[in-house]
Amino acid sequence: MNKGLSEFMMEAIRLSVSNVEEGAGGPFGCVVVKEGKIIARGVNQVTTSNDPTAHAEIVAIRNACAALNTFQLDGCDIYASCEPCPMCLGAIYWARPDKLFYANSKEDAAAIQFDDQFIYEEIAKPVEERKLFTQQILRDAALEAFKKWTESTIKKEY
């Protein structure tokens, strides 16, 4: 294995271990690398920030985008101590890094009660069959923003 790959992953793992030892959050760490250098780090901060979206990958992506002053991570690689959950995986795709590496699997996470399988299954179901009540309302009114977006000459596409 490439020395750089293992170095960067070991940093993500170190962050995950440290986060547990400090009682700061779940056992997850993440680093974002560009041009062979770590530009951002993130640890799970769900319980310390009272933010259910503050997963290590999300925190690292936010920090990387702030450091690079951009909303996309072109030319970057993400190293996560665990296979990303559905939310993080979606965010990673939106951030558009070049590569994603992970250590623990989602099955490893499920074995310690971090089981995201439920969400994967829910996403695959038709809206009306999901456990969370979901109903579309006021679509016609909401389409106004989409119409304006389509016609805008000042938008920044992504």
Side-chain angles (χ1 to χ4, degrees):
M1 177 187 308
N2 179 310
K3 185 177 186 278
L5 292 179
S6 60
E7 254 179 58
F8 300 136
M9 186 57 77
M10 284 305 298
E11 177 61 6
I13 293 167
R14 184 196 69 75
L15 289 167
S16 70
V17 171
S18 175
N19 209 44
V20 173
E21 290 174 344
E22 295 170 11
F28 306 99
C30 183
V31 297
V32 179
V33 174
K34 184 165 188 162
E35 298 173 355
K37 294 180 185 152
I38 295 174
I39 59 162
R41 291 170 170 80
V43 294
N44 181 282
Q45 299 175 356
V46 170
T47 58
T48 54
S49 65
N50 292 321
D51 179 353
T53 69
H55 290 198
E57 298 91 336
I58 301 295
V59 172
I61 288 168
R62 289 174 181 163
N63 291 340
C65 288
L68 296 173
N69 194 32
T70 183
F71 54 84
Q72 293 185 333
L73 298 178
D74 300 323
C76 295
D77 297 335
I78 295 178
Y79 294 79
S81 66
C82 186
E83 185 173 357
C85 74
M87 175 186 68
C88 292
L89 187 58
I92 290 166
Y93 271 95
W94 283 121
R96 293 177 173 81
D98 290 355
K99 297 175 185 166
L100 166 65
F101 301 92
Y102 66 90
N104 289 319
S105 68
K106 62 184 176 184
E107 292 80 15
D108 296 328
I112 61 163
Q113 309 309 306
F114 286 94
D115 190 359
D116 302 320
Q117 188 58 38
F118 165 75
I119 298 171
Y120 285 109
E121 291 170 3
E122 284 290 294
I123 290 170
K125 291 179 181 178
V127 172
E128 60 277 358
E129 291 179 23
R130 295 181 186 163
K131 291 195 185 323
L132 175 65
F133 175 83
T134 305
Q135 180 181 1
Q136 183 179 26
I137 61 173
L138 298 178
R139 177 177 178 260
D140 290 340
L143 282 173
E144 178 68 18
F146 284 13
K147 180 178 181 255
K148 287 189 179 298
W149 172 260
T150 302
E151 296 168 353
S152 176
T153 58
I154 59 171
K155 67 185 171 201
K156 188 171 185 179
E157 294 197 29
Y158 56 100

